[in-house]
Amino acid sequence: MWPDTTCISVSAVAITMFGGFAPLICAALVKATGWSAAPGPIGRRLFDTDDERPADLSAAGIDMAVLSHRAPSAQRLQGANAVSLVQRVNNRLAAIVARNPLRYQAFAALPTCDPEAAADELSRCVELGFRGAMLHGMANGEFLDLPKFWPIYARAEALDVPIYFHPSLPHPDVIRAYYSDYMDSHPLFARPGWGFGVETGTQGVRLLLSGVFERYPNLKVMLGHLGEGLPFHIWRIDSALSRSGGTAKPLRDMPCARAASIDAAQSAVWG
């Protein structure tokens, strides 16, 4: 599936999201999502894929970067334009990869507001050479294990490509209840400081409980940041959820749990 490289990095970068839109569409997405480009030199480097980034990869000992669309990607889009908008940014990402295929591969964005169309977009992107798709947090306030989203996983299994679950902001009610007291003094508390890992780890457990892996036993799912902590807690989760009063779910016997509770990438955990 992957080229024979020494080190592969999965990287969510700004250019593949915001660089792909016409100005008015970009402004509408920023308004809808609350996200914007990083300021200053960091923003400039995030938007660069042709000039500095290949040298930066070499300096870091990374042979290939898997590029994707920045969180929350297309998952707060709604309406008739969502599918065509996602197609446009995926086409731009395909062009970036085509200019430097020895250093870049790609994960697609998906229009999750229309799961059937999202499955079709995954197929289209795989035909373009994409290696799978990346999903970010909730889709318009809904967890992605819900059966309405399963057409995406059916297609991913049929195509034999992975779905990478990347963090995004917790639900606004969770932010208010859990994080708001410290957001002024520690604004990243709800983000990489703590909230991202909790949110994505919860999504991982929900996927295990949903039955999606029983329905699609060859589905490949990835969690970054050492599996968002799940590999360290799988025994306790398994033990607690299998006690009397609950529906038996031997998580440790599931293939994905035996493989470190969903494939766990080390990205952004140590140094």
Side-chain angles (χ1 to χ4, degrees):
M1 177 179 177
W2 301 105
D4 183 15
T5 55
T6 304
C7 181
I8 296 176
S9 163
V10 177
S11 175
V13 296
I15 185 170
T16 56
M17 170 57 75
F18 292 97
F21 298 126
L24 291 178
I25 300 174
C26 181
L29 185 67
V30 171
K31 181 178 180 181
T33 63
W35 288 73
S36 60
I42 293 177
R44 176 182 57 78
R45 292 168 76 91
L46 285 173
F47 274 76
D48 167 67
T49 54
D50 295 318
D51 298 323
E52 297 181 50
R53 187 177 293 260
D56 289 342
L57 291 174
S58 296
I62 296 172
D63 298 294
M64 176 167 288
V66 183
L67 303 181
S68 66
H69 303 270
R70 174 179 164 180
S73 191
Q75 288 166 228
R76 296 186 197 175
L77 298 177
Q78 300 185 65
N81 293 329
V83 175
S84 62
L85 187 61
V86 172
Q87 289 174 340
R88 289 173 61 188
V89 295
N90 283 333
N91 288 345
R92 178 175 174 83
L93 181 50
I96 292 171
V97 172
R99 291 198 297 269
N100 201 342
L102 297 180
R103 302 309 300 263
Y104 299 136
Q105 294 293 333
F107 280 152
L110 299 178
T112 50
C113 61
D114 185 339
E116 293 288 351
D120 290 341
E121 178 63 5
L122 178 58
S123 292
R124 189 185 77 90
C125 286
V126 170
E127 290 179 1
L128 292 174
F130 285 53
R131 299 297 182 166
M134 183 177 282
L135 297 176
H136 302 260
M138 292 184 171
N140 289 311
E142 295 183 301
F143 279 108
L144 292 163
D145 54 273
L146 298 180
K148 65 183 290 184
F149 298 111
W150 286 19
I152 298 171
Y153 309 131
R155 192 68 58 85
E157 183 191 52
L159 295 167
D160 193 27
V161 296
I163 303 292
Y164 191 113
F165 282 85
H166 185 273
S168 190
L169 279 173
H171 190 282
D173 290 343
V174 172
I175 292 177
R176 282 192 290 270
Y178 284 78
Y179 303 111
S180 61
D181 292 336
Y182 297 99
M183 290 294 285
D184 288 341
S185 59
H186 299 84
L188 296 185
F189 181 31
R191 298 182 184 232
W194 186 250
F196 280 177
V198 172
E199 191 77 6
T200 313
T202 299
Q203 177 65 88
V205 175
R206 289 179 61 104
L207 284 165
L208 289 170
L209 299 179
S210 70
V212 70
F213 293 108
E214 287 86 349
R215 177 71 66 85
Y216 308 110
N218 295 315
L219 172 66
K220 296 179 175 67
V221 165
M222 301 173 67
L223 294 179
H225 317 110
L226 289 181
E228 306 296 351
L230 292 188
F232 304 99
H233 297 286
I234 194 64
W235 188 95
R236 176 174 176 156
I237 295 169
D238 177 71
S239 175
L241 296 183
S242 299
R243 293 174 189 167
S244 60
T247 302
K249 190 78 171 182
L251 300 185
R252 285 175 294 172
D253 293 335
M254 296 178 66
C256 56
R258 290 200 302 271
S261 177
I262 306 178
D263 293 335
Q266 185 178 313
S267 60
V269 176
W270 293 309

